[in-house]
Amino acid sequence: MARWLKFEEDVEDGGERWSKPYVATLSLHSLFELRSCILHGTVLLDMRANTLEEIADMILDQQVASGQLSEDVRHRVHEALLKQHHHQNQKKLSNRIPIVRSFADIGKKQSEPHSMDKTGQLVSPQSAPSCIEHKNDVSRENSTLDVTKFDLHFMKKIPPGAEASNILVGELEFLDRAIVAFVRLSPAVLLSGLTEVPIPSRFLFILLGPLGKGQQYHEIGRSIATLMTDEVFHDVAYKAKDRNDLVAGIDEFLDQVTVLPPGEWDPTIRIEPPKNVPSQEKRKTPGVPNGTAALGEPEEHGGHSGPELERTGRLFGGLVLDVKRKAPFFWSDFKDAFSLQCLASILFLYCACMSPVITFGGLLGEATEGRISAIESLFGASMTGIAFSLFGGQPLTILGSTGPVLVFEKILFKFCKDYDLSYLSLRASIGLWTAFNCIFLVATDASSLVCYITRFTEEAFAALICIIFIYEALEKLFHLGETYPINMNNNLELLTQYSCGCMEPENPSNKTLTYWQSSNITASEISWNNLTVDACHKFHGDFVGRACGHEGPYVPDVLFWSVILFFATVIMSSTLKQFKTSRYFPTKVRSHVSDFAVFLTILTMVLVDFCIGIPSPKLQVPNEFKPTRDDRGWIVNPLGRNPWWTVVAAIIPSLLCTILIFMDQQITAVIINRKEHKLKKGCGYHLDLLMVGIMLGVCSVMGLPWFVAATVLSITHVNSLKLESECSAPGEQPKFLGIREQRVTGLMIFVLMGSSVFMTRILQFIPMPVLYGVFLYMGSSSLKGIQFFDRILLYWMPAKHQPDFIYLRHVPLRKVHLFTIIQLSCLILLWVIKASRAAIVFPMMVLALVFVRKLMDFFFTKRELSWLDDLMPESKKKKLEDAQKEEEQSMLVLEDEVTVQLPLEENFREDPSAINISDEMVKTSVWKTLLITSESSKNKESSVPAKSSPS
């Protein structure tokens, strides 16, 4: 009739299908009746049996021995218990109406006087790993099960090693009193025909009673089934020594129950399973009702602290520890990459990384007159990325180019041009000094300063980078309106007169005359009317006609088509990424579509663009592997034609570069290594910085751009490798297990990038608006989960409509808004500096965020900051000391409480009807360790006089 894997599923009345999973709602009366059943019924713990018949014999023998069942009724009850059960996945046997009715058959059977309801509830071993028994303890009779009779699809949702609890309830006309039994088998055995799927049974609950109370028995059965899915009672059931432990477990469950008054809600409504279920660990602390044990303490959120950020006091001590920490996982970093998810990540990020690298190279080429351009950018990104992916401490980090680096390159080139210095040589000197500085920081464990980078700084920096991605994607789309202009003042009646031609300029500018003279061009000899658009631009001609704009003919179809491609890419990527939670198609199909979402979107848009045939702008990739300019090679002399003192003077700008590289690299590393990502292979801040420094020196000598951790690309990389539980209960959201940590995705991304020169014909089909759409999707998706933006939205929400964020429970709303205003002001200041001529000091301003956060300790309490942000190291130390003092004081208080409760235990033994939930919890073996701890504390501090005594 019903089953519980985590949530309840019922066989629909009149149908042959399972209902949608829902949260079970129980009546308080049925829970008290269940408690009475356990208190007065038969409880058999750790019984050894191989068949249902043996179990029935043991239960009935116990009932007869205790005088609860007569010998003449015993045989008839035994026969009823052994009737065959039928399940939802089995076809109804023709011309047969069984006396024992299974839950799966309720929709097909007529009402009968002799009936029994049955359900199977599955217990996940992950909640109690120590209770998993070996599966080879199966009797010969059970080893010949026909697996084809079972629901194989349902079996995929059950974790390996799971065990079943079977609940049998029903009415028998010949009984005059109820028969109740709770059985725990040891070991668990596979009972033929009892469970819907072939898994061993650990628990059985049997409730048979006289006619007339079938619905009451049914509710009691639902209550015990729901209890067995409860994490705390589940542990109690496994560890119980006697019935008192089980009763106390029910009492603890009752202590946590929330009662909904009748008349204020509809009991027939099925509650949808929640997206996130809170941890039940707090309930295991006795004496505190309704999980309020730690309401005054903040939850542990994803800060960053640990041995990898501790200063060793030895030269390169942190680096040595990083190598020792990462070396054992080096081989597994390659083995763990054999997954379709990794392939999807490679294809997606390859396309996402190519465009910014080439765009950055193009901008750098314009700023440096071609000394460093697209081919150098492509080569440098590939070489640096491969080295970092192979030997970096956190291979999930993706290296890329940054805006402040481009600003620095522009300023440096202008300086060299003004003072007639070799740009590449001076740049090589600065790069080598910067590499030396980075290695010096590694040697002195300077990465330990990362612990001062709190959520406040991380989110401000990450938000800035995400906004930059979104802004630049939209800016590039608007820029297409200049390249492909449209006529905003069309007259439909004059369309036949619209034309655009190239004409000789009437008043050529000095620039045009100089070009003609240097190229030996005679304007009168050029056939201007026959020139193409590019040729007209080349010879500096003028476009004349109604269909001409400032830069050339109006091309409305290209611009509008580019807009369609742009927004279609964003919408399709987002839709396919969320396809995993869709109701359509099997789970595996939805999962693969979600993993390949962006790649499928790019492939679809390329095919649609090719079929439509509109000449949208395409990705331009260098088709020849050689330096952009013929007057430079792949090796640059740091001195060159510059004076010798420039090598020494280069140390001054290198300090600014070092701060930029350090802050960019380490802030991104902190975001990637946050605890909420559940990384298992550790991190390597010192090793990361060493690899970035070494490759920065190599790129400087080779005249290649500098690359550092790219925040948005790295976050996107991590999000594309999220692992979720494969077997989740019906109705349950897949659990986040962590990140697939490996080196292959980053390695293959940059290997493919390096070989892009040989794939020009393929890449030239990718429309640039599609890549711009990918940028917008990456920027917007990376904003999800940033608490800063959640707090910004609170400004426009009335209090009653605000989400139940945990920090809103403990921090006044005005303080939350003040914290947000300060963070928003810092973000705006960073944006203004980046967009101005003062962009060279941008890394200093990022560093200043750490000091701004330190000043906030004077405006917020430690408790408020612990909810809104990470605590600074000094505050963490003080908090630990305060917590230790509070723990010592609570132990003294607990000692007095135990002294008061001990006499009450005897009173309950005399009068079982007097129930005190807290005292019943104290009696159980599950929480006896707490009493042992307080008893030992009492012995140690026997000299301390008691503050109170029992009255």
Side-chain angles (χ1 to χ4, degrees), residues 521-643:
I521 295 175
T522 304
S524 59
E525 295 179 357
I526 299 176
S527 178
W528 294 96
N529 291 329
N530 296 328
L531 293 181
T532 63
V533 174
D534 289 339
C536 189
H537 280 297
K538 179 180 179 181
F539 293 116
H540 294 218
D542 287 344
F543 292 95
V544 180
R546 290 180 179 271
C548 289
H550 295 293
E551 300 294 332
Y554 293 127
V555 195
D557 50 350
V558 173
L559 177 61
F560 291 141
W561 177 239
S562 297
V563 172
I564 292 173
L565 288 175
F566 177 84
F567 287 105
T569 300
V570 176
I571 295 171
M572 187 174 178
S573 298
S574 179
T575 303
L576 292 182
K577 195 64 182 177
Q578 298 173 2
F579 194 68
K580 185 180 291 185
T581 59
S582 171
R583 299 181 180 181
Y584 305 101
F585 300 102
T587 304
K588 188 167 291 187
V589 174
R590 287 187 275 118
S591 177
H592 289 335
V593 170
S594 178
D595 290 339
F596 286 85
V598 179
F599 176 73
L600 289 175
T601 299
I602 294 175
L603 185 62
T604 302
M605 292 297 109
V606 169
L607 292 176
V608 171
D609 178 75
F610 179 78
C611 294
I612 296 297
I614 295 177
S616 57
K618 301 297 193 296
L619 177 66
Q620 300 297 321
V621 183
N623 54 9
E624 190 176 0
F625 183 71
K626 69 173 186 176
T628 305
R629 288 173 63 116
D630 295 331
D631 59 352
R632 61 151 292 183
W634 289 118
I635 301 296
V636 176
N637 185 350
L639 185 59
R641 61 182 179 84
N642 296 337

Side-chain angles (χ1 to χ4, degrees), residues 76-135:
R76 300 176 68 183
V77 175
H78 186 274
E79 182 182 357
L81 286 173
L82 297 183
K83 285 292 184 180
Q84 184 178 358
H85 298 83
H86 297 277
H87 302 285
Q88 175 66 17
N89 61 306
Q90 298 174 344
K91 291 184 177 180
K92 175 180 151 184
L93 299 178
S94 59
N95 300 324
R96 185 173 184 272
I97 301 178
I99 293 180
V100 180
R101 182 181 57 176
S102 74
F103 276 10
D105 293 321
I106 190 168
K108 300 184 287 185
K109 299 303 302 164
Q110 300 293 330
S111 178
E112 302 178 42
H114 307 281
S115 63
M116 183 184 299
D117 295 340
K118 173 197 148 296
T119 180
Q121 179 270 325
L122 306 178
V123 182
S124 171
Q126 292 150 346
S127 302
S130 61
C131 303
I132 301 174
E133 298 291 341
H134 295 290
K135 289 189 175 183

Side-chain angles (χ1 to χ4, degrees), residues 126-182:
Q126 292 150 346
S127 302
S130 61
C131 303
I132 301 174
E133 298 291 341
H134 295 290
K135 289 189 175 183
N136 54 7
D137 294 326
V138 181
S139 66
R140 183 177 301 275
E141 174 186 317
N142 292 329
S143 63
T144 59
L145 287 173
D146 184 3
V147 182
T148 59
K149 295 181 180 179
F150 297 100
D151 188 351
L152 297 179
H153 176 70
F154 181 59
M155 287 182 65
K156 295 178 181 178
K157 299 180 179 296
I158 303 171
E163 297 175 346
S165 298
N166 296 281
I167 291 89
L168 306 174
V169 299
E171 305 169 88
L172 293 174
E173 61 180 1
F174 51 80
L175 289 179
D176 56 0
R177 60 180 298 177
I179 299 175
V180 181
F182 181 89

Side-chain angles (χ1 to χ4, degrees), residues 168-225:
L168 306 174
V169 299
E171 305 169 88
L172 293 174
E173 61 180 1
F174 51 80
L175 289 179
D176 56 0
R177 60 180 298 177
I179 299 175
V180 181
F182 181 89
V183 179
R184 184 177 69 197
L185 300 175
S186 180
V189 295
L190 194 63
L191 299 176
S192 177
L194 192 60
T195 55
E196 184 185 9
V197 287
I199 61 173
S201 295
R202 171 72 66 173
F203 298 96
L204 282 93
F205 178 82
I206 297 175
L207 172 57
L208 302 177
L211 293 177
K213 297 184 178 181
Q215 186 60 31
Q216 181 180 347
Y217 301 153
H218 179 78
E219 290 302 316
I220 295 174
R222 289 183 64 248
S223 298
I224 185 63

